[in-house]
């Protein structure tokens, strides 16, 4: 072991990307300038990742409330529409709700409780126990919810999301009825036309709704799958993964991200003379132990990536070897024994106890989470992340 640093992750500052900018050229230029300025030599299997936000911005992938409303009206008929399981987010869902409501006469809004899909809590589980409420079987009207729990303000945002979402629907010109339930089929008591807004469980929700008699069943991924009056769109994800751009518009999840990542990897490899992997990343997939929020409101962590980032880690747990197989060794002898075991490891360690406790996730999800934590979502100004040594192990110099 001659090298003392393993994985190194750097946020790369870049100019503000605007609609029409060449995202590949801009990213390549920013990375090459950062490497030159900091005297960092590129190495084979370095990873360059760019956030989905700037890719979508460069593509001009935006839509307005009016464009969302027009597509909703076309696909639902514009009458009474059930809207189930939205996440509680001013950034992620408020503008979408306004567009949905503007496209119909009445919205029956069904909120999951005590929390939404990504961990934003309306209530604590302890409070449900105290009030004797069974979230899997009890369906609550707005009046029953208020009688039991009163006005509930989110501790981080200071927002009463029940009131906030109701006001958005009314301001868009639709009637509103709010209910609380956790079985998606419950919405069919009120209407047979449904937009289910859950992200990672959406296919199951659609299946259950159709089986229970839903006449029109859509997900957010079924809205704006093609342009409406010149809007942006996403053929695969529709409105999923969108963010608020202005009070009247959203930025959609980017399109053609595999092509973007592959072009980025190819251009950086050509410019550096090294094999560079590339990725477009969104939300990381990790949970905050304090706020209970699962940071994955995008449909996937990594919508685009080069081929070298496929698969799962194939790693040996060093502490397992040190404590079990080589418990009688120490110092240099222990180091040499472990390094030799690493060199001899199988191409696949699935089922091997020596791999127990290593993270069983896709490499793209792990690197995407690393990038999201590095770049953040605020004012760091580093939408590009440069990673070195991610695929190294203890035997690599």
């Amino acid at each position: 072991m001659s090298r003392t640093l393993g994985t190194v992750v750097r946020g790369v500052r870049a100019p503000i990307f605007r609609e029409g900018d060449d995202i590949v050229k801009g990213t390549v230029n920013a990375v090459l300038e950062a490497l030159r300025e900091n005297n960092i030599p590129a190495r084979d299997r370095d990873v360059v990742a760019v956030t989905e936000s700037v890719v979508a911005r460069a593509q001009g992938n935006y839509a307005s409330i009016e464009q969302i409303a027009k597509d909703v009206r076309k696909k639902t008929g514009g009458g009474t529409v059930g809207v189930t399981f939205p996440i509680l987010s001013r950034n992620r869902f408020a503008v979408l709700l306004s567009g949905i409501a503007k496209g119909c006469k009445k919205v029956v809004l069904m909120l999951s409780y005590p929390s939404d899909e990504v961990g934003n809590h309306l209530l604590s589980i302890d409070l449900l126990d105290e009030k004797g409420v069974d979230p899997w079987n009890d369906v609550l009207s707005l009046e029953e919810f208020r009688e039991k729990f009163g006005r509930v303000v989110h501790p981080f945002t200071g927002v009463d999301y029940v009131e906030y979402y109701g006001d958005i629907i009314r301001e868009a010109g639709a009637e509103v009825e709010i209910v609380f339930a956790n079985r998606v089929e419950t919405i069919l008591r009120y209407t047979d036309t449904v937009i289910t807004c859950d992200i990672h469980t959406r296919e199951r929700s659609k299946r259950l709704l159709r089986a229970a008699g839903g006449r029109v069943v859509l997900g957010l991924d079924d809205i704006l799958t093609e342009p409406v009056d010149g809007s942006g769109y996403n053929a695969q994800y529709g409105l999923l993964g969108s963010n608020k751009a202005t009070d009247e518009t959203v930025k959609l999840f980017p399109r053609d991200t595999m092509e973007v990542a592959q072009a980025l990897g190819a251009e950086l490899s050509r410019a550096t003379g090294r094999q560079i992997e590339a990725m477009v990343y969104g939300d990381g997939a990790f949970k905050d132990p304090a706020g209970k929020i699962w940071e994955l409101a995008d449909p996937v962590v990594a919508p685009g990536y080069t081929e070298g980032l496929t698969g799962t880690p194939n790693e040996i747990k060093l502490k397992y070897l040190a404590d079990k197989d080589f418990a009688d060794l120490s110092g240099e002898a222990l180091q040499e024994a472990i390094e030799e075991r690493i060199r001899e490891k199988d191409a696949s360690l699935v089922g091997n106890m020596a791999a127990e406790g290593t993270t069983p996730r896709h490499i793209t999800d792990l690197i995407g989470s690393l990038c999201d934590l590095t770049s953040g979502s605020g004012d760091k100004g580093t939408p590009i992340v440069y990673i070195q040594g991610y695929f190294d192990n203890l035997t690599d110099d």
Side-chain angles (χ1 to χ4, degrees):
M1 181 181 69
S2 59
R3 176 153 55 91
T4 56
L5 287 180
T7 302
V8 177
V9 185
R10 299 175 174 95
V12 178
R13 291 180 177 174
I16 304 299
F17 287 97
R18 292 292 191 186
E19 182 175 348
D21 288 348
D22 186 327
I23 190 68
V24 173
K25 181 179 179 181
T27 301
V28 168
N29 288 343
V31 168
L32 294 178
E33 178 61 26
L35 295 179
R36 282 193 296 267
E37 180 182 304
N38 294 279
N39 296 314
I40 301 168
R43 299 202 297 259
D44 287 332
R45 300 210 77 188
D46 286 356
V47 180
V48 171
V50 58
T51 179
E52 59 81 20
S53 178
V54 297
V55 177
R57 192 182 305 143
Q59 291 175 341
N61 206 21
Y62 293 88
S64 69
I65 287 174
E66 292 291 344
Q67 290 163 336
I68 294 170
K70 184 172 183 178
D71 207 28
V72 168
R73 196 176 300 115
K74 173 185 174 182
K75 290 175 178 175
T76 66
T80 299
V81 176
V83 174
T84 64
F85 299 162
I87 64 172
L88 307 176
S89 173
R90 293 168 294 177
N91 173 46
R92 288 287 190 169
F93 192 70
V95 178
L96 303 187
L97 181 58
S98 183
I100 292 169
K102 200 171 187 67
C104 54
K105 294 180 180 179
K106 179 178 179 179
V107 171
V108 181
L109 180 66
M110 194 173 88
L111 299 174
S112 58
Y113 73 101
S115 72
D116 69 12
E117 179 183 6
V118 297
N120 293 298
H121 275 70
L122 279 174
L123 311 159
S124 72
I125 295 176
D126 293 335
L127 186 56
L128 293 185
D129 294 340
E130 178 185 325
K131 298 295 183 178
V133 175
D134 177 357
W136 284 110
N137 292 300
D138 293 345
V139 178
L140 304 177
S141 66
L142 177 59
E143 293 73 21
E144 290 168 329
F145 181 88
R146 292 299 194 199
E147 181 182 350
K148 289 180 180 296
F149 306 114
R151 185 172 180 270
V152 182
V153 176
H154 194 283
F156 289 174
T157 64
V159 174
D160 178 342
Y161 278 96
V162 177
E163 179 180 78
Y164 177 55
Y165 279 2
D167 288 345
I168 286 174
I169 294 167
R170 283 184 284 269
E171 288 167 7
E175 298 178 50
V176 59
E177 182 174 359
I178 301 177
V179 296
F180 303 81
N182 287 310
R183 296 185 185 276
V184 72
E185 305 96 318
T186 301
I187 195 67
L188 298 177
R189 301 179 189 178
Y190 306 87
T191 177
D192 61 3
T193 302
V194 184
I195 300 173
T196 185
C197 301
D198 43 340
I199 305 163
H200 307 292
T201 55
R202 63 188 183 275
E203 293 304 329
R204 178 176 186 267
S205 291
K206 291 182 198 179
R207 173 172 56 80
L208 292 173
L209 285 165
R210 291 178 181 125
R215 182 177 61 86
V216 176
V217 176
L218 303 169
L220 289 178
D221 55 331
D222 297 309
I223 301 170
L224 285 189
T225 53
E226 56 186 19
V228 173
D229 293 341
S231 73
Y233 70 98
N234 191 301
Q236 183 176 8
Y237 294 119
L239 291 177
L240 285 177
S242 60
N243 286 270
K244 179 178 179 179
T246 70
D247 288 342
E248 300 292 323
T249 60
V250 292
K251 175 186 59 59
L252 303 180
F253 214 47
R255 303 186 302 269
D256 306 320
T257 48
M258 291 296 284
E259 290 85 347
V260 170
Q262 289 160 6
L264 180 56
E267 185 59 26
L268 281 167
S269 296
R270 184 199 63 76
T272 62
R274 299 291 185 176
Q275 178 58 46
I276 307 296
E277 305 294 347
M279 169 190 287
V280 176
Y281 70 95
D283 277 346
F286 46 84
K287 186 172 182 178
D288 172 33
K292 311 301 182 187
I293 298 170
W294 183 36
E295 187 64 26
L296 187 52
D298 286 329
V300 290
V301 175
Y305 48 88
T306 50
E307 186 177 357
L309 299 180
T310 58
T312 56
N314 192 54
E315 299 173 351
I316 291 174
K317 198 76 168 179
L318 296 188
K319 66 181 182 181
Y320 178 87
L321 296 181
D323 293 344
K324 183 179 184 297
D325 289 15
F326 306 125
D328 58 333
L329 300 179
S330 62
E332 187 174 338
L334 175 60
Q335 182 81 19
E336 290 177 355
I338 287 179
E339 289 185 10
E340 185 61 27
R341 183 64 61 85
I342 292 172
R343 294 187 189 97
E344 295 174 347
K345 69 182 178 181
D346 295 334
S348 174
L349 294 171
V350 174
N352 190 319
M353 287 297 290
E356 184 181 23
T358 57
T359 307
R361 292 172 59 189
H362 289 289
I363 291 169
T364 50
D365 292 342
L366 291 164
I367 295 179
S369 296
L370 179 62
C371 292
D372 191 23
L373 286 166
T374 301
S375 62
S377 58
D379 58 6
K380 287 185 173 63
T382 55
I384 303 164
V385 178
Y386 195 87
I387 303 170
Q388 291 190 303
Y390 188 84
F391 295 100
D392 290 355
N393 61 47
L394 190 61
T395 67
D396 292 309
D397 293 329

